[in-house]
Amino acid sequence: MPGPEPSTHRPADGSDAERMTDGPRGRRSYAGAVRQDLAQRARRRLEIVRPTTVRQLPPRTPVTLTVVTYATLLVVAVAARGAATGVTVIAVALASAVVAVGWTRLVGLPSRRGTLITVSLSAVLLLASVVLPDDGGSLRWVPAALAVGVVVAFLHQLVRRDGRPRVVVSLSGTLLALGILAAGVTWVALPSMAGGRDAAVAAWAALAVAAAAEWLCHRARWFTALAPTALLAGAVAGGLVGALVEASVPWCALLGLACSAASLALRVVLSPLPALVTLRAQAVSGVASVLVVGPLVETAARHLLAS
């Protein structure tokens, strides 16, 4: 009968590495091959997930410029005499179009065409819920429009023909975009409120100053002081503007702090995304970080600064 075959070793991960015989030289070759394979896998993983922290990111100058520019556009629209509501609708519609066109590439969602259609249709419904009704300034129809958008997002997943890979990622990314758009349409209600102008001006100052402070701290690599400095700068800017427009300074400072926190949080969440190296993605990040503070500004205008 034939004797037993010499024992061989195979890598633990089941790869098709070359079999190696017993003996010191074979064991050293096997260990070296395993180390090389693990090193290559580690490098590939780092290339996929890098960067993972704010410290590894360069300062995003276009994001800061977008925040300052669009916040200025919104406050000018809200403060416009006579045609404030119409100009604000145009400004919010422009921002919604930017988010709808660039959101899928920014977040890296599958089924980009279907997601684009879903987000665009939801943006139109949300704007129509504020513009068309006579009581659109009350925002009473916004939840209904948002609910229709959520249903459309689920229907989009059902009709996908690509096997529905990453369905949870696709659905959650789409719903995040719908939430940002729903928050943005609340800016349209500000011109019809007694405290809308004061709230918009305070929010504009807070957003612009907080974004500039974030950029400066990032450029100087003061990462530990980045968030506190941005929040403090936003609160101070809101309070100063409140004093200039003869509004409640404490409420304006609190509004500035809240707007700075919400805007900064969204930018930090989006900052590690690989697609943020493009100008279009950075514009989407900046515009979205302004739209997301809409409910805070609307609440302050309706309940805190109305008198």
Side-chain angles (χ1 to χ4, degrees):
M1 296 179 62
E5 296 182 359
S7 61
T8 58
H9 294 278
R10 292 182 62 84
D13 59 356
S15 62
D16 293 332
E18 182 182 359
R19 295 191 177 189
M20 300 178 183
T21 59
D22 289 336
R25 181 175 299 179
R27 284 194 293 270
R28 284 196 298 268
S29 300
Y30 168 68
V34 170
R35 284 195 297 269
Q36 183 179 3
D37 182 66
L38 292 177
Q40 291 177 354
R41 290 170 181 265
R43 283 195 296 269
R44 286 197 296 266
R45 285 196 296 268
L46 287 176
E47 290 174 358
I48 293 174
V49 302
R50 185 180 293 169
T52 57
T53 64
V54 177
R55 295 175 183 270
Q56 298 173 305
L57 297 170
R60 309 289 192 184
T61 304
V63 175
T64 304
L65 293 178
T66 303
V67 172
V68 175
T69 303
Y70 185 65
T72 305
L73 176 62
L74 273 179
V75 73
V76 170
V78 173
R81 297 182 180 275
T85 301
V87 178
T88 307
V89 169
I90 295 174
V92 174
L94 177 63
S96 300
V98 171
V99 173
V101 171
W103 184 258
T104 55
R105 290 189 178 273
L106 171 62
V107 186
L109 300 179
S111 184
R112 291 179 177 176
R113 182 180 302 177
T115 304
L116 172 62
I117 295 174
T118 301
V119 176
S120 301
L121 179 61
S122 301
V124 173
L125 291 175
L126 288 167
L127 279 173
S129 69
V130 179
V131 176
L132 297 182
D134 296 334
D135 57 346
S138 64
L139 304 177
R140 61 180 299 182
W141 297 104
V142 172
L146 181 59
V148 174
V150 172
V151 173
V152 173
F154 278 95
L155 290 177
H156 166 233
Q157 300 302 321
L158 293 177
V159 300
R160 284 174 60 184
R161 298 182 179 180
D162 56 353
R164 288 196 287 272
R166 301 167 59 204
V167 62
V168 176
V169 174
S170 177
L171 186 58
S172 59
T174 304
L175 294 181
L176 177 59
L178 298 188
I180 293 173
L181 294 176
V185 297
T186 58
W187 285 91
V188 179
L190 294 179
S192 61
M193 298 181 183
R197 178 178 175 273
D198 297 339
V201 173
W204 159 74
L207 290 171
V209 173
E214 176 196 1
W215 183 85
L216 290 174
C217 290
H218 203 153
R219 191 169 184 83
R221 305 195 69 79
W222 296 340
F223 299 110
T224 305
L226 190 150
T229 302
L231 299 182
L232 179 61
V236 172
L240 289 177
V241 168
L244 292 177
V245 299
E246 297 181 353
S248 174
V249 174
W251 288 128
C252 287
L254 180 61
L255 175 61
L257 177 63
C259 291
S260 302
S263 182
L264 177 63
L266 183 60
R267 289 196 298 272
V268 170
V269 169
L270 299 178
S271 60
L273 296 176
L276 208 62
V277 296
T278 64
L279 291 178
R280 179 190 297 182
Q282 294 183 43
V284 174
S285 176
V287 169
S289 66
V290 177
L291 291 179
V292 76
V293 305
L296 301 174
V297 184
E298 187 269 339
T299 300
R302 190 182 298 275
H303 301 289
L304 304 179
L305 302 175
S307 58

